[in-house]
Each structure stands twice: as structure tokens, then as C-alpha cells.
Amino acid sequence: KILSNNPLNDLDPESLRRSAKILLYRQNPELAWIREFKIVTEAMGLVSFYPNAVQLPLLNAAREQLKRIGKIRQIIFKCRRPGISTYSEGIVGWKTFFFDNVRSFVLAQDKPTVAKIFGMTDIMYEQISPDVQPERTYYNKGAQMIFANRSSIDVGEAKNINVGVGTGIHAFHGTEVCRWPYLDPIGESLLPALSKASGTIRIWESTAHFAPGADWFKDQCERAMAGDGDLEYFFVQWWKMPEYSIRLKRGEKLKLDTTDRFLVKKYHLPP
């Protein structure tokens, strides 16, 4: 009798398989990345999204945050080109493509970066298996995608003073915040629009730069380091990336000065 009243009995095997697959991805973003997302590499190839040496610790920390506080709150001070924007879009895409009713927003410092971020997300979406890929019902290249699961992604430029007005944002990625031209309108319109609900996402990330956004980003990093608020601070070490190192020639030795020796000892770097 219990089995006869089970609503799953009304689903065909294909629908059951699809539902189970989506549920699995909701519980395991790394699996969703590896199986469904593809990214463009430095060698111009299209490969499955396996998290790299700096992305994986961030992903593990995000999963731990979800268990601990029910949401993702990260602020990331990064070196150049470690794949943090890709990581952030992987998180936002995972939330948008495999969950219903999610409003996602990505904010970048200029139009070229907006186009780059949108293209990255677009590629991730297009590579998803047809059985779990949400139908795209609206597409405005470089700006917005809306899906049949009632989720959406918008990408905007930081100088837009109307950004975020009138919307509730569930998944947010702010990239290269230190390069943003100003912050007052963002604080007035964007920050109040960011949802505080369970399951929501906020990721702020940047390299070092001197622009109006830098003071705000520095302040948020220092607050996070002090445990003030729900943001968790991360510093992406350049020495974790293989691209930032070269082999010495046979017989070659480095001459380290006092600062070099201090850094090698403090951060356990290979001399």
C-alpha cells in the first residue's frame, strides 16, 4: 500500500534517473564540475573541470561552510591567473543550473571582463549533458541567461549605478573588486539586494590594485581575518601554482638575501 501511494511510481525510469543525477550533483559540486562542466585551458583546449591546487581547498572550504552555517561566504585575495574566477563561476553555475529559483549575479570591473566571465559561464552551460541541462528560455549574449528551472544569471559592470536594484540575489560573484571604479552606488543598491537566506552564495575576489574598490576590499579582508562577520578570508599563494616556478639548470644555485631566506622559512618554500 505504501509503495502504491509513492509519487515516484508516477515517474518513468528516465525521469527517475535524471532526478537522482541532479540530486547527486546538488550534494557534490565537485562531481558536477568534473562530469558536466568544461573549461578552456591555457593551451586553448576544452577539458573537464577538475579543480586545481588552489581551487580544491576553496571548494572544500565552501562545502564545509554549507555544513556549518548553511551558506557560502568567501573573500579571496589572489595572485594573478590562478583560476579563481573560474572557481567562482563554477560555484555560481552549479547553484544556478542544478537548483531551481536561483537568481545569480556576477559583477566585474569593465566590459571586457564582463564578456570573459559570461563566455566562461556560457561554455559551462553548453557542455552539460542534455538529460540534466536546464532549458535556456532567454539569452542576451554578454548579459543574461534565464532557464526553465526559473533560475537566471546576470553579468554586469561595476560602474552601473543601478546594478542590483529591485532584485534579490541568491548567488553572487564579485570579481577584481580592487579594480572597481567606485563603490558608493554598489553599496546603496547591490549589497542590500544580496540575500542572507540559507543556501545563498557570496564570493568576493581580487588581485592587488589601486582603485576605489581597493579600500573596501582591504577592509573586508581584514574584518574576515579578525572573524568579524560571516565572510571567510583566503589568500591564494602563488607558490601553489606550478606555472609560477621553473627548474634550475644543472649545477645552478640560488643566492638568497635576508628577505628571501625569511620567506622560504616562513612559508616552507623550496629554495
Side-chain angles (χ1 to χ4, degrees):
K1 183 176 181 181
I2 294 176
L3 290 176
S4 65
N5 292 330
N6 191 332
L8 293 179
N9 290 337
D10 297 329
L11 297 177
D12 61 84
E14 185 62 29
S15 296
L16 281 172
R17 193 181 72 85
R18 177 182 180 276
S19 297
K21 195 173 178 181
I22 289 176
L23 179 59
L24 179 63
Y25 289 160
R26 287 179 178 179
Q27 297 171 342
N28 192 332
E30 183 181 356
L31 185 64
W33 289 6
I34 294 171
R35 286 187 176 180
E36 302 295 342
F37 290 177
K38 284 186 169 54
I39 58 174
V40 178
T41 67
E42 293 285 347
M44 297 180 289
L46 198 62
V47 299
S48 296
F49 185 8
Y50 284 86
N52 66 24
V54 297
Q55 293 166 340
L56 186 57
L58 291 170
L59 178 59
N60 290 337
R63 297 176 68 176
E64 178 58 31
Q65 272 196 322
L66 284 172
K67 293 178 182 178
R68 181 164 39 88
I69 64 174
K71 56 191 79 171
I72 296 173
R73 299 289 186 268
Q74 296 182 326
I75 186 162
I76 306 166
F77 184 36
K78 64 182 184 178
C79 59
R80 297 194 180 279
R81 302 185 66 79
I84 302 306
S85 293
T86 305
Y87 158 80
S88 303
E89 285 310 291
I91 292 287
V92 170
W94 162 75
K95 188 70 178 183
T96 310
F97 302 143
F98 300 118
F99 291 78
D100 300 337
N101 305 304
V102 175
R103 288 188 293 273
S104 299
F105 190 70
V106 183
L107 197 60
Q109 76 272 22
D110 53 34
K111 289 182 178 179
T113 309
V114 167
K116 177 184 175 182
I117 295 292
F118 187 90
M120 183 189 307
T121 309
D122 198 12
I123 289 173
M124 289 180 183
Y125 168 77
E126 290 179 346
Q127 301 302 315
I128 296 174
S129 303
D131 60 328
V132 293
Q133 184 189 61
E135 179 187 357
R136 188 160 54 189
T137 58
Y138 179 79
Y139 181 81
N140 182 2
K141 185 175 182 179
Q144 185 182 50
M145 289 185 277
I146 300 176
F147 307 97
N149 63 357
R150 299 177 300 280
S151 292
S152 62
I153 294 181
D154 291 82
V155 183
E157 195 175 354
K159 72 178 183 180
N160 180 3
I161 63 173
N162 296 313
V163 67
V165 173
T167 63
I169 299 169
H170 304 116
F172 173 77
H173 169 206
T175 182
E176 290 294 357
V177 180
C178 288
R179 296 176 181 270
W180 290 5
Y182 43 71
L183 279 165
D184 288 345
I186 305 302
E188 295 169 2
S189 59
L190 173 65
L191 296 181
L194 300 180
S195 173
K196 299 177 181 179
S198 177
T200 56
I201 296 166
R202 297 185 195 179
I203 302 175
W204 308 84
E205 47 92 349
S206 187
T207 52
H209 192 75
F210 292 101
D215 288 339
W216 182 89
F217 187 79
K218 178 177 180 290
D219 177 67
Q220 295 301 308
C221 286
E222 291 175 345
R223 287 185 58 188
M225 293 170 70
D228 180 10
D230 57 5
L231 282 175
E232 187 172 353
Y233 172 79
F234 299 90
F235 172 60
V236 175
Q237 306 100 321
W238 55 265
W239 57 87
K240 295 287 187 181
M241 302 297 297
E243 300 91 328
Y244 279 75
S245 64
I246 58 174
R247 287 185 174 273
L248 296 177
K249 297 177 182 178
R250 180 174 295 182
E252 182 181 8
K253 294 183 179 180
L254 294 178
K255 295 181 180 180
L256 304 181
D257 59 21
T258 302
T259 301
D260 294 332
R261 289 193 294 271
F262 169 77
L263 293 173
V264 166
K265 182 177 179 180
K266 181 176 181 180
Y267 295 108
H268 308 289
L269 303 177

